[in-house]
Amino acid sequence: MGDLFLGLDCSTQSLTALIIDSEKKNLIHRESINYENDLSKYATSSGIIMGKSEQEIHSYPIMWIEALDTLFKRLEGKQILLSKIKAICGSGQQHGTVYLNNKFETELETLDPSQSLTNQLTRIFTRETSPIWMDSSTTKQCQEIRQVLGGKTNSIKKLGSNIIERFSGPQIRKFYQEQPSAYDKTEMIHLVSSFMASLLIGKNAPIDYGDGAGMNLMNIDKKEWDEDALKATAPNLKKKLPPLVDSFEIIGNISKYFSKRYGFSANTKIIAWSGDNPNSLIGLGLIKKGQVAISLGSSDTFFAFMEELSLDLRGEGHVFGAPTGNYMSLLCFKNASLSREKLKNSFDLDWVEFSQILDQTPPGNNGKLMLPYFFPEIVPLVLKPKVFRFGFSKDDLKENIRAIIEAQFLSMRLHSQWIGEKPDIIYATGGASANKSILQILADIFKIPVMKFNVTNSAALGAALRAYKSYSDNVNKEEEEWGIIIKDFLKPQKYLEIKPRTQYGELYDDMVKIYERYEEAVLKGERAPEKLRLEFIKKYF
Ligand code: XUL
């Protein structure tokens, strides 16, 4: 057994640990604490709690603390050699904020290893709950911040993203406005990632550029806290934030509490944690220009490695720092698995029947087109859900099934064009990526091969690989190349490659243009330009 490296992922629903072996170049252990099932006393539903309104979605930071203790206890029980772990890195659900008082650091420094963390860290919060990425209750605060920053375009140019409800800045402003005295007492505001890293090093941890970019507070070009954004958000905010650092930085050794309680070596290095999307970028092996991944899950996310900074001035896409020191883009579509499932269930189909229909129906769907807003949509912004069908009705089985999948990928192609770096391959992950018929349509529409990537927890794996690389570079001075690490560790995964059918290339080029015009018209409340669709039908069917 070689040196071991640990990647942790504190996600919405669970805390996961992956341990990799640097000699065998493989994964040696996976352990996960599910908040709802394993920590049921918090009574969360899939790790979340609802606030006063439907838009308010929070979680308990004390539960994440307990998850960490529970996870290490389990690893110990499985006789995992924690003492062989050389470095630990981690991942947190992005945007969520944790509010701490002036006791936080002293309590961390004086932890008693004979007692659990939860018993000792009850007095550190100025807010018992943390708003998380699913919270969309800050529209008012977004408008206020955006206005001070000179509007949408200026905000994007400064911060890499429009001012967005779930991002940390608007969430902090809401807390300041609604609970000013609790805000005053707040000495430190952490992201989920930097909060968890703080527990491990026993003092306040910095925020890395990857996760920092998801706050609406970091200047995307300079990678510094943006004075204007800070001022527009809340008073004295800079003092309440940790510093920003490069993602590969070693931020300290593991604290005495963990070395004494669980047998970690006192020399175990902790690497700056980051958000789940920057970590997944590495866990999926996206380290070069033109590499793109699509995760088909409860939301469909499209993310790409970017060598240079490129911005979406329409405000739909986000730019975060990539752990390689470059950038990454991210687009989040809300009408994803749940919409596919809703349509499938409305026709009483199973997934096999659903796929058969996809295989039997023609690319271009005989000119039938859908705008699939079964739920409110993030990209493009649609607040009131409504499904628009052109050339067919809601009872037409085959047309509906093909239309929703084509619509989802046409929309993805259309809204990712701003990234500029044309992908040459798409890695597909997430539940729906097991469906070959869906992946064929994805390949046809994007006109490039799609590879199914068999990674179950790309964020934790990315974190483990970052721990390995940082340690090799900074401690062993070996300067391992990302390309080699990715090749070594991601090789054993099983791939399934789907080639695009070139004969449909022109058809989908035309269809994406029509989709764009229909979307534009519908969002403005105008009539759809049906002439275009009729011409399309004449040309291809
Ligand atoms: C990204 C986003 C989600 C969370 C999920 O902007 O909100 O992908 O990071 O944990």
Side-chain angles (χ1 to χ4, degrees), residues 168-411:
S168 322
Q171 293 289 345
I172 293 171
R173 181 166 178 78
K174 184 168 174 239
F175 179 58
Y176 152 68
Q177 287 179 337
E178 293 183 353
Q179 298 180 56
S181 70
Y183 176 79
D184 262 358
K185 288 193 196 105
T186 303
E187 192 103 330
M188 183 54 61
I189 302 175
H190 274 297
L191 288 179
V192 178
S193 60
S194 61
F195 173 63
M196 298 301 282
S198 304
L199 300 179
L200 291 179
I201 59 174
K203 60 179 187 214
N204 282 308
I207 289 178
D208 89 307
Y209 300 140
D211 221 6
M215 298 178 76
N216 279 156
L217 292 172
M218 186 186 94
N219 186 293
I220 194 70
D221 207 16
K222 298 191 195 131
K223 297 184 172 172
E224 288 168 2
W225 294 127
D226 186 275
E227 294 295 339
D228 298 334
L230 292 170
K231 228 189 277 163
T233 301
N236 300 319
L237 183 51
K238 196 169 183 181
K239 280 202 227 130
K240 299 178 197 279
L241 294 173
L244 288 158
V245 290
D246 261 312
S247 315
F248 51 77
E249 221 164 270
I250 293 177
I251 57 170
N253 284 346
I254 200 160
S255 79
K256 262 197 231 131
Y257 175 84
F258 293 98
S259 57
K260 294 223 165 106
R261 188 171 167 90
Y262 297 109
F264 286 99
S265 149
N267 224 355
T268 310
K269 303 292 175 216
I270 309 297
I271 316 303
W273 283 41
S274 188
D276 49 2
N277 293 299
N279 277 298
S280 284
L281 197 76
I282 299 297
L284 292 167
L286 308 191
I287 49 153
K288 275 197 221 135
K289 195 172 163 155
Q291 291 182 321
V292 159
I294 293 178
S295 165
L296 300 170
S298 47
S299 69
D300 287 345
T301 50
F302 176 103
F303 51 104
F305 177 88
M306 289 199 300
E307 207 155 69
E308 306 289 339
L309 179 60
S310 161
L311 299 169
D312 175 19
L313 293 182
R314 297 208 314 194
E316 294 166 346
H318 312 305
V319 177
F320 303 139
T324 51
N326 305 83
Y327 289 96
M328 68 173 290
S329 56
L330 180 121
L331 283 155
C332 191
F333 301 85
K334 227 179 193 170
N335 279 277
S337 285
L338 290 182
S339 308
R340 292 186 280 270
E341 211 160 307
K342 194 166 176 179
L343 194 65
K344 173 186 84 68
N345 294 345
S346 76
F347 288 110
D348 212 8
L349 300 174
D350 59 28
W351 283 116
V352 175
E353 292 163 329
F354 187 95
S355 306
Q356 278 165 355
I357 293 174
L358 292 180
D359 294 340
Q360 289 159 4
T361 44
N365 207 11
N366 290 317
K368 318 281 193 267
L369 194 75
M370 179 192 280
L371 296 177
Y373 313 128
F374 289 81
F375 300 97
E377 182 50 75
I378 298 178
V379 178
L381 186 64
V382 177
L383 295 172
K384 274 204 183 133
K386 181 171 178 189
V387 179
F388 297 86
R389 294 174 174 88
F390 300 96
F392 66 116
S393 86
K394 84 183 214 314
D395 303 321
D396 295 327
L397 167 68
K398 292 187 173 174
E399 288 77 0
N400 272 284
I401 301 300
R402 183 157 197 104
I404 186 174
I405 301 297
E406 286 192 337
Q408 289 178 330
F409 296 142
L410 287 167
S411 176

Side-chain angles (χ1 to χ4, degrees), residues 12 93-95 133 166 276-277 318 320 330:
T12 314
Q93 48 173 311
Q94 289 204 255
H95 319 299
W133 66 280
R166 67 187 190 283
D276 49 2
N277 293 299
H318 312 305
F320 303 139
L330 180 121

